[in-house]
C-alpha cells in the first residue's frame, strides 16, 4: 500500500481568552495524531472521536488512496496560541495526555484565579471609595459590559470586573509567579497521566517556536555602505526548541523551567501580567527543588548578546524583561517556514501549513459603514497596543510560500526538460555495461565519480560559478552548526570566521587555470557537502512518487519497495544533519581548521556514502530492469541536473519541489453546524476578547466549539490529501456527523456550567446533518 506522510506545520495565533477555543482545536489535532498512531499498528483500540478518525484513515486507504501517517512536527505560536503550542508539542513528543490542560483552561483561566493575592489585599480597604464609581461605570447606558456581554452573564462579569477594577492600580493585577506555577502544575499533571508512545516516529525532529517581545530590546549589528556598521535595537524574540522523538513514552521536550519560561513569556499580555524576568523562573525552580542544569546553555542561546566564552552576563540578564509575543509577531509563519528544509523522510511527503485564527474577520468589501465619530481615548490606546498589531494580515507570509511553490514548479519543468539529454549523456558515458550487471556499492561509487567529472567538464566555464555557489551553501550550513557549538557566536560571525579561513588557505581558488575544480575543493565538498547528497536522493524519491507511474512490467509494489530503499538511504544523511551530540564539537576559534576537521570527523560523510550506496545497490538488485534503469540514470545524472538548477535556486536549498499547501481553521470556515462565524458561536469574543476569563460557562462553550470546528476542518484537510481517491461529499458529511456526535458524547459529563449547551448543539447537528 502506498505510504504517505501528511506533515502539519501548525501556526497558532494569539487571541487572549480565545486561548480556550484554540485548545479545543489543538486537542482535535492531538486526537487525529493518536488515531494515526493506532492505524499504523500500535495495538490500540481507539474509542470516541479517535475511532472516527481511525475509520476515516482506513476508508481513504481502502478507496485507493494512500496510507496516511499524520505527523504534526512543526508548531509555532504567539501569546495564547504559544501556550497551547507548548503543551501540544510536549504531548506529541512524550505520548502524554492533553486532558490535564483542558482542566487547566476550564478551572484556572478565570479572573479570580489569575488575580495576584497581593492585589486582592487592598480591595476592601483602600478602595472603598471606588465602589460607587465602579457601579456607575458598569451600569451606565452604553457601557462596555452592556454592549459586548450577553445578558445572562452580565451580573457575573460585572461582579468580577468590579473586583478587578477595585484591585491595585498601576500594577499588573494578575500574578506572574502564580501563572508560572499553574503552567508547571499542568505539565506535572500531564507527566502523571497515562502515556502512550510518542506521536512521531523515533528520531524524527519536533520543532516548537513561541514568540515573545524583548521589552528593552537588544542590539543587532547591521552592515551598511556608510557607515560600515550600525547597531539598532531588536525587540522580536523567538524561543525555539528542537528535539528528536524518543522511542519510548514519557520523554521531556525540554526542561520544565524552559517550557514554563516559553509559555509564560509568550502570554504576558501587557497590563494584565507583569513582564517576565529570569529571576521568576529561577524562583520557581528553587520552589520546586528542580535543578536546571542546562540554564546557561539555554539562556545563552536565547540571549547570545549576553553570553561570552560560555558565561552569562548575569547583571544584564537580570534586567531583561519579556512581554507578550503577539505585540510584534502574532502569526509566526517565518519560524515554521525556516524549520522545513532538510527534514528526514522515509516515504512520500505532503506538507500542510495549518493556522488557527480564532477571531478571523470576513472583509468582503460589503460591510456596514463604520461609525463616523472618532474613536474614543481608550479604544485608540487599546487598538494601537493590541488589536491592530494582532490583526495584521499574513499576506507577506503567504507571498513567500506562494513564491517558493512557483519556483519549485518552475524547477520541476526545467529538470524534466533536461531529462532526455542527461539520460543520453549518461548512457553514452557508460554504454550497455551500466545495465547488463547488477550494480554493487563499489561500482556505484566509481560510476558516480565518473559522472560528476563528466558533468564538470561539460559545464565548462559555468562550472566554476556553480562550484562557488556550492561552497557558499556549504559554508552557510557549517556556520549554523558552528554557532550551535560555540556559545555567544552568531551565525553571521561563524560564517565570517569560516569564510576568512577558506579565503587564505588552499581553498582560496576552487578551480585551476583550465577551469577544472581543484583537488582541495573536491575534498572539502566530499567532507562537508551534505545538501548535495540529500538533493540527489530526493530527485529519485520524487520521481518514484509522482513521475514514474506508467511503466510496463513495474507494479505499484515495485515502486513502493524502491521508495523504501531510497528513503532508507536518505535517512542516513538526515542523521548527519543538525546538532552533533557525540562527540561534541569544539568551539570555533580564530583558527577554523581544527573545528572543520572535527566536523568532518563527526559526520564522516564519505563513510555514509558507502553505506547509502550499499543500500541502493541491494535495492536495485531486486528492482525490475526498467525501474532499475531509471533509478540509475537519475542517480548518476544528478550532477548534470544540479549544475543547471542550483543557480536558479540562488544557492538556497530546495527541500521539495512539491508546493506547500496552506489551510486555515477559524469559526469563519466551519459552518457545518452553525453559520455566522465567531459572533454566532464563541463567547470569548465578548468584552474585547477577554470574555472567557469572566465565566466558566463561556470557557466551556468556546472549548467545545474549538473541538467541533477543529474536527470539521481537519476532516476536510485529511480527505483532500487522499489525492485522486477523494471521498464523496456524502462520505465527508457522514464523517463530520460521526465526529460531532462523538465529541458531544465525550464532553457531556464535563461541560455542565450551561446545562443546555450539549443538548442544543446536538439538536443542531441532527437537524443539519440528519
Amino acid at each position: 500500500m502506498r505510504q504517505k506522510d501528511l506533515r502539519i506545520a501548525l501556526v497558532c495565533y494569539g487571541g487572549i481568552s480565545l486561548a480556550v477555543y484554540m485548545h479545543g482545536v489543538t486537542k482535535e489535532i492531538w486526537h487525529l495524531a493518536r488515531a494515526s498512531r493506532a492505524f499504523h499498528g500500535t495495538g490500540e483500540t481507539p474509542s470516541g472521536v479517535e475511532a472516527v478518525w481511525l475509520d476515516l484513515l482506513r476508508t481513504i486507504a481502502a478507496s485507493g488512496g494512500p496510507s496516511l501517517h499524520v505527523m504534526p512536527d512543526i508548531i509555532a505560536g504567539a501569546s495564547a496560541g504559544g501556550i497551547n503550542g507548548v503543551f501540544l508539542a510536549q504531548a506529541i513528543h512524550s505520548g502524554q495526555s492533553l486532558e490535564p490542560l483542558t482542566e487547566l483552561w476550564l478551572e484556572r483561566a478565570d479572573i479570580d484565579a489569575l488575580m495576584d493575592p497581593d492585589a486582592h489585599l487592598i480591595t476592601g480597604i483602600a478602595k472603598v471609595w471606588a465602589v460607587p464609581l465602579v457601579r456607575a461605570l458598569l451600569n451606565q447606558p452604553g457601557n462596555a459590559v452592556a454592549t459586548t456581554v450577553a445578558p445572562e452573564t452580565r451580573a457575573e462579569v460585572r461582579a468580577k470586573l468590579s473586583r478587578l477594577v477595585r484591585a491595585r492600580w498601576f500594577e499588573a493585577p494578575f500574578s506572574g509567579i502564580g501563572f508560572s506555577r499553574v503552567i508547571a502544575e499542568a505539565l506535572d499533571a500531564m507527566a502523571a497521566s497515562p502515556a502512550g508512545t510518542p506521536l512521531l516516529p523515533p528520531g524524527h525532529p519536533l520543532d516548537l517556536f513561541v514568540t515573545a517581545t524583548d521589552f528593552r530590546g537588544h542590539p543587532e549589528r547591521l552592515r551598511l555602505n556608510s557607515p560600515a556598521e550600525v547597531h539598532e535595537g531588536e525587540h522580536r524574540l523567538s524561543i525555539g526548541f528542537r528535539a528528536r522523538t524518543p522511542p519510548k513514552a514519557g520523554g521531556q521536550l525540554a526542561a520544565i523551567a524552559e517550557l514554563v519560561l516559553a509559555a509564560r513569556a509568550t502570554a504576558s499580555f501587557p497590563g494584565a501580567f507583569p513582564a517576565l524576568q529570569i529571576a521568576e523562573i529561577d524562583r520557581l525552580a528553587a520552589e520546586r527543588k528542580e535543578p536546571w542544569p542546562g540554564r546557561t546553555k539555554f539562556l545563552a542561546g536565547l540571549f547570545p548578546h549576553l553570553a561570552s566564552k560560555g558565561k552569562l552576563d548575569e547583571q544584564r540578564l537580570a534586567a531583561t524583561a519579556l512581554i507578550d509575543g503577539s505585540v510584534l509577531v502574532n502569526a509566526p509563519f517565518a519560524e515554521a517556514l525556516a524549520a522545513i528544509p532538510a527534514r528526514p523522510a522515509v516515504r512520500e511527503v505532503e506538507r500542510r501549513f495549518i493556522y488557527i485564527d480564532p477571531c478571523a474577520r470576513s472583509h468582503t468589501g460589503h460591510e456596514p459603514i463604520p461609525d463616523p465619530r472618532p474613536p474614543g481615548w481608550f479604544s485608540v490606546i487599546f487598538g494601537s497596543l493590541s488589536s491592530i498589531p494582532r490583526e495584521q494580515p499574513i499576506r507577506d507570509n503567504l507571498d513567500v510560500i506562494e513564491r517558493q511553490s512557483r519556483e519549485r514548479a518552475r524547477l520541476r519543468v526545467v529538470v524534466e526538460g533536461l531529462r532526455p539529454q542527461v539520460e543520453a549523456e549518461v548512457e553514452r558515458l557508460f554504454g550497455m555495461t551500466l545495465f547488463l550487471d547488477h550494480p554493487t556499492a563499489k561500482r556505484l561509487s566509481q560510476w558516480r565519480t565518473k559522472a560528476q567529472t563528466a558533468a564538470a567538464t561539460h559545464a565548462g566555464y559555468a562550472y566554476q560559478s556553480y562550484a562557488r555557489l556550492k561552497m557558499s551553501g556549504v559554508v552557510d550550513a557549517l556556520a549554523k552548526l558552528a554557532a550551535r557549538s560555540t556559545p555567544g557566536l552568531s551565525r553571521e560571525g561563524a560564517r565570517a570566521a569560516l569564510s576568512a579561513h577558506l579565503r587564505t588557505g588552499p581553498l582560496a581558488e576552487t578551480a585551476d587555470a583550465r577551469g577544472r575544480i581543484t583537488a582541495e575543493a573536491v575534498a572539502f565538498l566530499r567532507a562537508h557537502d551534505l545538501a548535495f547528497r540529500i538533493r540527489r536522493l530526493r530527485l529519485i524519491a520524487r520521481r518514484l512518487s509522482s513521475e514514474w507511474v506508467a511503466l510496463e512490467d513495474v507494479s505499484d509494489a515495485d515502486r513502493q519497495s524502491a521508495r523504501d530503499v531510497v528513503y532508507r538511504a536518505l535517512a542516513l544523511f538526515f542523521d548527519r544533519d543538525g546538532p552533533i551530540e557525540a562527540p561534541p564539537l569544539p568551539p570555533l576559534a580564530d583558527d577554523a581548521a581544527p573545528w572543520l576537521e572535527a566536523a568532518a570527523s563527526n559526520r564522516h560523510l564519505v563513510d555514509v556514502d558507502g553505506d547509502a550506496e550499499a543500500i541502493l545497490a541491494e535495492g536495485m538488485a531486486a528492482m525490475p530492469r526498467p525501474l532499475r534503469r531509471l533509478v540509475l540514470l537519475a542517480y548518476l545524472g544528478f550532477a548534470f541536473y544540479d549544475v543547471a538548477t542550483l543557480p536558479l535556486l540562488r544557492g538556497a536549498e530546495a527541500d521539495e519541489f512539491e508546493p506547500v499547501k496552506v489551510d486555515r481553521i477559524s469559526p469563519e470556515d466551519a459552518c457545518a453546524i452553525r453559520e455566522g462565524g465567531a459572533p454566532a458561536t464563541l463567547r470569548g469574543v465578548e468584552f474585547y476578547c477577554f470574555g472567557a476569563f469572566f465565566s466558566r460557562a463561556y470557557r466551556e462553550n468556546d472549548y467545545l466549539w474549538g473541538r467541533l470546528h477543529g474536527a470539521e476542518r481537519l476532516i476536510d484537510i485529511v480527505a483532500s490529501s487522499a489525492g485522486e481517491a477523494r471521498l464523496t461529499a456524502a462520505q465527508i458529511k457522514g464523517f463530520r456527523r460521526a465526529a460531532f456526535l462523538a465529541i458531544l458524547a465525550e464532553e457531556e459529563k464535563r461541560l455542565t456550567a450551561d446545562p443546555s449547551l450539549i443538548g442544543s448543539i446536538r439538536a443542531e447537528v441532527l437537524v443539519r446533518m440528519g
Side-chain angles (χ1 to χ4, degrees):
M1 185 178 296
R2 177 184 166 205
Q3 302 281 319
K4 182 178 181 181
D5 285 352
L6 174 58
R7 296 191 178 179
I8 295 173
L10 183 68
V11 179
C12 303
Y13 284 18
I16 314 176
S17 78
L18 292 172
V20 185
Y21 171 84
M22 283 188 283
H23 168 59
V25 177
T26 57
K27 192 170 181 180
E28 217 48 48
I29 293 172
W30 174 69
H31 280 302
L32 171 58
R34 281 167 55 88
S36 174
R37 181 183 64 188
F39 178 47
H40 292 284
T42 58
E44 299 167 286
T45 305
S47 60
V49 74
E50 288 182 15
V52 179
W53 288 119
L54 179 59
D55 190 23
L56 174 62
L57 297 173
R58 286 173 173 168
T59 301
I60 289 172
S63 302
S67 176
L68 288 174
H69 297 251
V70 181
M71 298 172 55
D73 63 344
I74 299 173
I75 299 171
S79 191
I83 292 183
N84 283 299
V86 167
F87 282 94
L88 177 61
Q90 172 61 18
I92 290 169
H93 179 78
S94 65
Q96 294 168 353
S97 172
L98 269 184
E99 293 296 339
L101 183 58
T102 301
E103 298 307 316
L104 165 71
W105 285 126
L106 297 182
E107 292 287 340
R108 309 288 290 275
D110 189 271
I111 289 291
D112 287 345
L114 294 170
M115 190 86 75
D116 191 326
D118 291 340
H120 281 295
L121 292 177
I122 63 172
T123 299
I125 303 173
K127 292 192 179 177
V128 173
W129 58 266
V131 174
L133 176 61
V134 170
R135 286 176 178 169
L137 289 172
L138 297 182
N139 288 281
Q140 67 177 347
N143 67 81
V145 175
T147 57
T148 68
V149 177
E152 63 270 20
T153 53
R154 285 175 189 166
E156 180 185 9
V157 171
R158 282 193 175 103
K160 291 181 177 178
L161 188 59
S162 174
R163 290 193 289 273
L164 179 65
V165 173
R166 291 162 56 205
R168 65 188 182 194
W169 289 359
F170 309 116
E171 289 186 57
F174 297 159
S175 169
I177 186 64
F179 190 23
S180 291
R181 290 178 185 132
V182 168
I183 295 168
E185 289 166 11
L187 289 167
D188 289 342
M190 285 179 62
S193 64
T197 56
L199 301 185
L200 294 175
H204 189 90
L206 172 65
D207 284 283
L208 166 68
F209 304 93
V210 299
T211 63
T213 304
D214 185 344
F215 182 77
R216 293 190 172 93
H218 55 273
E220 287 286 343
R221 183 174 60 182
L222 304 178
R223 299 184 183 278
L224 307 178
N225 178 54
S226 63
E229 184 178 290
V230 297
H231 290 81
E232 291 198 353
E234 175 62 82
H235 294 267
R236 294 170 297 179
L237 185 69
S238 178
I239 306 174
F241 302 89
R242 167 175 272 211
R244 294 194 179 273
T245 305
K248 297 181 180 179
Q252 278 295 130
L253 176 66
I256 293 287
E258 294 164 13
L259 295 177
V260 171
L261 184 153
R264 165 75 171 85
T266 191
S268 297
F269 192 85
F273 290 99
L276 171 68
Q277 295 187 283
I278 303 304
E280 181 181 307
I281 305 301
D282 289 334
R283 174 184 169 187
L284 179 72
E287 286 180 358
R288 292 166 56 85
K289 297 184 170 120
E290 284 185 348
W292 187 4
R295 179 182 183 275
T296 299
K297 181 179 180 181
F298 176 75
L299 295 176
L302 199 57
F303 308 108
H305 59 289
L306 301 180
S308 177
K309 297 181 179 179
K311 294 184 179 181
L312 287 167
D313 185 336
E314 292 288 348
Q315 186 175 1
R316 291 184 179 277
L317 182 67
T320 300
L322 304 181
I323 62 174
D324 196 288
S326 64
V327 170
L328 295 176
V329 184
N330 191 48
F333 272 81
E335 287 80 356
L337 275 168
I340 289 179
R343 299 186 78 76
V346 295
R347 53 194 150 255
E348 182 183 356
V349 173
E350 179 171 330
R351 168 64 65 184
R352 295 292 184 103
F353 263 77
I354 299 177
Y355 70 97
I356 306 174
D357 187 357
C359 47
R361 298 179 182 177
S362 177
H363 295 281
T364 62
H366 302 288
E367 299 163 352
I369 296 174
D371 190 336
R373 295 174 296 179
W377 175 80
F378 178 76
S379 297
V380 169
I381 294 175
F382 189 83
S384 62
L385 294 179
S386 175
S387 301
I388 293 175
R390 289 169 183 267
E391 294 175 5
Q392 286 308 290
I394 59 169
R395 183 183 62 244
D396 292 345
N397 303 115
L398 296 183
D399 285 347
V400 170
I401 295 174
E402 183 181 0
R403 182 170 62 252
Q404 290 178 351
S405 296
R406 284 199 307 267
E407 289 179 353
R408 289 167 183 165
R410 188 180 304 122
L411 282 171
R412 189 165 57 242
V413 172
V414 170
V415 169
E416 277 304 294
L418 290 172
R419 180 176 163 184
Q421 294 172 275
V422 171
E423 291 183 353
E425 182 58 30
V426 173
E427 289 183 323
R428 188 193 66 78
L429 276 174
F430 298 101
M432 293 302 297
T433 59
L434 192 64
F435 311 113
L436 290 176
D437 300 314
H438 292 161
T440 63
K442 183 178 180 180
R443 286 173 179 164
L444 274 181
S445 177
Q446 293 171 343
W447 292 345
R448 168 173 49 82
T449 301
K450 183 177 180 180
Q452 289 176 191
T453 301
T457 301
H458 280 68
Y461 65 87
Y463 193 81
Q464 186 168 167
S465 62
Y466 163 74
R468 288 185 177 275
L469 194 59
K470 274 168 65 78
M471 294 285 288
S472 177
V474 172
V475 170
D476 280 339
L478 290 172
K480 184 177 180 181
L481 199 62
R484 292 195 190 112
S485 69
T486 310
L489 180 66
S490 69
R491 189 170 174 178
E492 292 75 17
R495 194 188 198 291
L498 291 169
S499 297
H501 169 77
L502 296 176
R503 280 197 303 268
T504 57
L507 288 172
E509 295 295 333
T510 57
D512 60 20
R514 299 175 60 183
R516 296 174 302 188
I517 189 168
T518 63
E520 292 81 5
V522 170
F524 180 82
L525 293 173
R526 290 196 70 203
H528 299 291
D529 193 358
L530 176 63
F532 176 86
R533 293 153 161 107
I534 291 173
R535 290 197 302 270
R536 177 171 56 206
L537 290 173
R538 274 184 159 160
L539 171 71
I540 303 171
R542 185 175 65 255
R543 288 187 166 177
L544 284 165
S545 297
S546 60
E547 297 172 17
W548 298 332
V549 295
L551 299 174
E552 290 187 20
D553 302 323
V554 177
S555 67
D556 287 342
D558 292 328
R559 289 196 301 121
Q560 180 60 49
S561 296
R563 273 197 297 265
D564 291 342
V565 167
V566 173
Y567 283 123
R568 280 173 55 209
L570 258 174
L572 298 179
F573 292 110
F574 280 125
D575 285 343
R576 299 294 88 203
D577 185 46
I580 298 175
E581 298 174 355
L585 286 173
L588 178 63
D590 293 337
D591 181 6
W595 186 91
L596 287 169
E597 290 176 9
S601 176
N602 276 19
R603 296 208 284 186
H604 51 83
L605 292 183
V606 175
D607 293 339
V608 177
D609 283 336
D611 296 338
E613 286 173 336
I615 291 173
L616 291 172
E618 181 182 356
M620 287 182 196
M623 293 178 193
R625 178 171 291 185
L627 187 59
R628 182 168 68 246
R629 174 182 179 276
L630 290 174
V631 170
L632 269 172
L633 288 171
Y635 186 75
L636 299 178
F638 178 74
F640 293 90
Y641 293 119
D642 206 46
V643 169
T645 58
L646 191 65
L648 298 179
L649 289 167
R650 297 181 296 278
E653 283 305 314
D655 56 313
E656 298 166 5
F657 285 172
E658 293 74 17
V660 173
K661 299 176 182 178
V662 182
D663 302 281
R664 183 178 75 171
I665 297 179
S666 166
E668 293 285 336
D669 313 315
C671 305
I673 302 174
R674 185 186 300 174
E675 298 179 355
T681 55
L682 305 186
R683 309 306 295 270
V685 296
E686 296 177 0
F687 203 59
Y688 307 104
C689 287
F690 279 88
F693 290 150
F694 288 90
S695 170
R696 172 160 181 140
Y698 278 19
R699 293 193 291 279
E700 290 185 2
N701 175 86
D702 289 4
Y703 159 69
L704 180 60
W705 278 109
R707 288 200 65 185
L708 295 169
H709 288 167
E712 178 180 343
R713 294 292 294 124
L714 288 169
I715 287 171
D716 295 341
I717 291 166
V718 172
S720 70
S721 69
E724 296 180 359
R726 288 181 178 270
L727 303 184
T728 66
Q731 286 177 305
I732 291 175
K733 182 178 180 181
F735 280 114
R736 286 178 176 175
R737 182 184 186 277
F740 296 157
L741 294 177
I743 290 169
L744 293 170
E746 287 178 357
E747 300 294 349
E748 194 157 17
K749 292 182 179 180
R750 175 171 22 211
L751 309 182
T752 57
D754 178 0
S756 67
L757 177 65
I758 298 290
S760 62
I761 296 178
R762 182 182 284 123
E764 290 183 74
V765 171
L766 295 176
V767 169
R768 293 287 297 266
M769 316 202 76

